[in-house]
Amino acid sequence: MPPTRTLPPETQVPAEAVAPLMRGITVLRRLTDADGAMSLSALERATGLARSTVDRVATTLARVGYVRLDGRDVTLAPRLMEVGNAYLASIRLPGLLGARADALADELDESVSLAVADGDGIRFVHQATRRRAMSLSFRIGDLLPAERTAPGPLFAAAWGAADWRGWRERRAADPDGEGFPSLPRREIPAEDDFEQRTARAGAEGWSLDDQLIEPGLIALAVPVRAPAGGVACVLSVVSHTSRHTAQGLRDSLLERLRAAADEMEARLRDAPGGDAAGGGAQPGPAGSGGAADAAGPAGVPGPAGVVDGEPGAVVPPVGGPPVLASWTAASKQELGREFIESLARGLTVLTAFGDGADSLTLSTVARATGLSRASARRALITLEHLGYAAADGREHRLTPRVLGLGYPPLSRTTLAQIAQPHLAALAGHIKDSASLAVLDGDFVQYVARAATHRIMNVNITVGTRFPAYATSLGRVLLAGLPPADLTAGLARTELRPLAPHTLTRRDALEAVLDRVRQDGYALVDEELEAGLRSIAVPVRDREGTAVASINVAMHSSSRTIEECEDRILPRLRATAHRIEAELHIADRFTRVAVS
């Protein structure tokens, strides 16, 4: 396991630090370094913690919804992204500049990134990628060494003597760059080369990465300056040597990149509270990220959802701090010593940020979390010691290091990956298969599925496509289409009889779709195949659009239509809500692939 970069070893743990919170964060860091999954035994070895401690931490994190436990394996869960979302919301840069970066990527037909400084490294906070066989992109939140990136010299141009000294000490202690597990192993450039590149970047206002990260990858970067001064972030375009030489990339795109940076700077100046948007970057190996006002936090941890005794994934409660207090108390009562209350409450301090302010006072953190001032203060002391928060007088803010808590591996999660454990839980409870599908033209395509082991089973595999008009999954999605798209789709679809009861008249199908739209579910009985009955509900994105649907399929002899509606439908809807809750967290600042 590569070492995780932490504060210098001479830094003493404050007497008021919350030890369980430190242990929980250590577990999350190790899981992140392992690309999101480890066994409990591997976590014990990687963290140096006692096995009983690892078990208790994992149980608590699972209760919060930040990991999933499958036997002896621990996997990061999408809900952990709410921690990184709090930081990204606080700096506002993805929200203010992301659309412009996306438009630039379309214009240049190249990948475009936004990065902020994190000590003597950088972290990407926005990605606009191109769909090609040779795809070039970084994971949001990955920590890269400044000397091997295009943005690095632009940040290092503001370093002081102490910052350069810290960088040299890090290079001497980790000459092979093992503290940056997201990068491929290769020889690191000599330190005097980086200093020379930094001097040029500071003088010329641009920087070039000519295959420093890995062979074939080149990048050009320019700074985006904050209204109050300093570099808010760095804008870079990433390409491949099959498309450009390094010099050719500079000659053809530098002026366009500078113009885009000027537009972004104007956007920062014009935004409400624009002076605060420049806190996303600051120099120095002890560096941290800035904060600015943003959308509200993702919420506090909540109890496991239950539908007719069916356990489900963790869902955020509503009601504010009193709900958190009652939830942690109930969790402690239910799980006993296996639930570490101070860890669960300490993690909520991270999600208190990003709530319309560039930084928070201790009193504000205490009110937002429902913690006492003493507990909130100890949590902040712990986070500041670990480098996840920074203090400026009475004000506290998150740093880019927060993105290192699960965000890189989770930023590539897909809707199918989000849905799979929820489908498995549903299928395991009702003993019938459950599936997730998306609309593919006039067909539905299965992208996730949880089957059951029954003598008489519905035999469908991931990748299967069926005509949308004859399936419950398809009808839910057709009902959610804009009227013009639905009309065009039905006009080109031949309504063929596929089973004894298939609807083949367009007016009858349109009437059924109207009812599906009104009821919020579709039930299809022997229209796709004789003896097959299914019921489906939509899965909606943050804008309320039905991007997928889930269903339960069964033989018509196993349950009546009334039993499907009375007993299966509530569980199906609860499962859809759990999938949506994680989807809405995951796609707040990343793009979740739905197919």
Side-chain angles (χ1 to χ4, degrees):
M1 172 67 61
T4 298
R5 299 177 69 240
T6 61
L7 294 181
E10 66 271 14
T11 302
Q12 298 297 314
V13 176
E16 294 178 278
V18 183
L21 179 57
M22 296 177 65
R23 297 181 190 120
I25 286 176
T26 296
V27 168
L28 291 175
R29 286 203 334 258
R30 295 307 190 193
L31 283 167
T32 302
D33 290 344
D35 214 28
M38 295 180 78
S39 68
L40 288 166
S41 297
L43 271 173
E44 179 186 3
R45 293 190 298 270
T47 61
L49 300 173
R51 179 55 179 270
S52 60
T53 301
V54 170
D55 288 345
R56 294 180 65 209
V57 168
T59 298
T60 302
L61 293 174
R63 182 71 169 188
V64 174
Y66 287 172
V67 304
R68 291 194 175 105
L69 298 179
D70 183 9
R72 307 310 294 171
D73 293 327
V74 187
T75 305
L76 295 178
R79 192 172 174 220
L80 177 58
M81 292 179 74
E82 72 179 8
V83 173
N85 285 348
Y87 166 72
L88 293 173
S90 72
I91 64 171
R92 297 193 303 165
L93 294 173
L96 291 173
L97 308 182
R100 187 67 198 90
D102 295 345
L104 183 63
D106 290 339
E107 176 188 337
L108 303 181
D109 195 27
E110 299 285 1
S111 295
V112 171
S113 306
L114 297 175
V116 299
D118 186 359
D120 59 356
I122 68 138
R123 293 189 194 267
F124 291 97
V125 296
H126 184 79
Q127 283 285 323
T129 60
R130 313 308 297 155
R131 287 182 173 268
R132 294 198 185 99
M134 182 65 71
S135 179
L136 301 174
S137 66
F138 304 101
R139 300 186 305 182
I140 292 178
D142 267 334
L143 180 66
L144 308 182
E147 65 270 17
R148 289 182 64 181
T149 68
L154 294 166
F155 290 121
W159 288 2
D163 303 325
W164 282 106
R165 183 168 59 253
W167 174 76
R168 293 188 187 97
E169 291 172 355
R170 186 264 293 170
R171 288 287 304 277
D174 184 19
D176 295 327
E178 292 187 350
F180 300 89
S182 61
L183 281 187
R185 291 282 299 272
R186 65 175 305 193
E187 183 179 349
I188 298 176
E191 71 177 49
D192 59 344
D193 175 63
F194 179 54
E195 293 188 69
Q196 292 169 8
R197 289 189 292 114
T198 295
R200 289 198 303 271
E204 297 172 348
W206 59 271
S207 178
L208 194 65
D209 166 10
D210 187 0
Q211 306 182 77
L212 294 173
I213 289 181
E214 63 178 86
L217 188 149
I218 55 178
L220 177 68
V222 298
V224 177
R225 301 195 177 276
V231 178
C233 64
V234 168
L235 170 67
S236 60
V237 58
V238 186
S239 190
H240 192 268
T241 51
S242 61
R243 293 174 58 82
H244 297 276
T245 64
Q247 186 64 36
L249 188 70
R250 175 202 175 279
D251 292 344
S252 60
L253 297 184
L254 179 57
E255 292 311 310
R256 187 66 201 90
L257 206 59
R258 279 176 164 162
D262 290 342
E263 295 169 9
M264 290 182 175
E265 289 172 357
R267 179 76 178 93
L268 294 181
R269 288 193 302 270
D270 295 340
D275 286 347
Q282 62 295 309
S288 58
D293 74 346
V300 294
V306 177
V307 179
D308 287 348
E310 175 192 355
V314 173
V315 293
V318 293
V323 177
L324 171 63
S326 62
W327 176 81
T328 54
S331 297
K332 186 67 175 178
Q333 182 175 7
E334 179 182 340
L335 299 177
R337 69 180 304 273
E338 294 304 305
F339 180 76
I340 308 174
E341 194 167 4
S342 59
L343 168 57
R345 293 193 171 193
L347 289 171
T348 66
V349 170
L350 292 168
T351 57
F353 288 82
D355 189 17
D358 59 352
S359 58
L360 298 178
T361 65
L362 171 60
S363 297
T364 305
V365 171
R367 286 196 301 271
T369 60
L371 300 176
S372 67
R373 281 176 56 87
S375 295
R377 179 174 175 274
R378 293 187 64 202
L380 286 169
I381 288 172
T382 306
L383 296 171
E384 287 161 8
H385 166 69
L386 296 175
Y388 295 99
D392 182 8
R394 297 177 63 250
E395 299 292 324
H396 306 266
R397 53 184 168 79
L398 298 183
T399 75
R401 190 169 295 182
V402 169
L403 293 175
L405 298 179
Y407 218 87
L410 291 172
S411 69
R412 298 289 178 86
T413 195
T414 66
L415 180 56
Q417 291 169 331
I418 290 173
Q420 188 63 48
H422 300 290
L423 296 177
L426 175 63
H429 186 79
I430 64 175
K431 309 305 179 186
D432 272 310
S433 62
S435 304
L436 173 85
V438 297
L439 202 59
D440 182 14
D442 300 328
F443 293 82
V444 289
Q445 180 170 357
Y446 287 72
V447 295
R449 180 166 169 79
T452 56
H453 300 287
R454 300 181 65 164
I455 295 176
M456 188 163 55
N457 196 18
V458 178
N459 186 22
I460 298 171
T461 59
V462 171
T464 299
R465 298 168 80 244
F466 288 124
Y469 72 90
T471 65
S472 61
L473 290 163
R475 287 184 181 174
V476 164
L477 294 172
L478 290 175
L481 289 176
D485 293 346
L486 177 60
T487 298
L490 293 181
R492 64 175 177 263
T493 300
E494 179 186 359
L495 303 181
R496 296 181 294 110
L498 305 174
H501 302 298
T502 309
L503 288 180
T504 57
R505 286 178 31 239
R506 178 171 168 176
D507 59 341
L509 179 59
E510 289 176 335
V512 167
L513 294 178
D514 284 341
R515 189 163 63 250
V516 169
R517 198 174 297 113
Q518 178 179 344
D519 295 343
Y521 74 94
L523 190 147
V524 169
D525 188 24
E526 297 189 289
E527 295 193 50
L528 180 66
E529 184 177 317
L532 179 63
R533 177 177 295 150
S534 67
I535 186 168
V537 298
V539 174
R540 302 186 183 277
D541 63 15
R542 291 174 61 87
E543 286 70 46
T545 301
V547 295
S549 54
I550 60 171
N551 82 342
V552 170
M554 68 207 77
H555 193 273
S556 57
S557 63
S558 63
R559 287 185 178 88
T560 66
I561 290 176
E562 289 74 18
E563 287 174 328
C564 287
E565 293 175 330
D566 293 344
R567 296 193 59 81
I568 302 301
L569 181 58
R571 294 190 173 95
L572 193 61
R573 281 178 164 154
T575 301
H577 291 159
R578 295 180 188 118
I579 295 171
E580 288 172 346
E582 293 191 354
L583 172 62
H584 296 173
I585 290 171
D587 73 353
R588 187 174 181 188
F589 293 107
T590 63
R591 292 182 177 87
V592 175
V594 299
S595 60

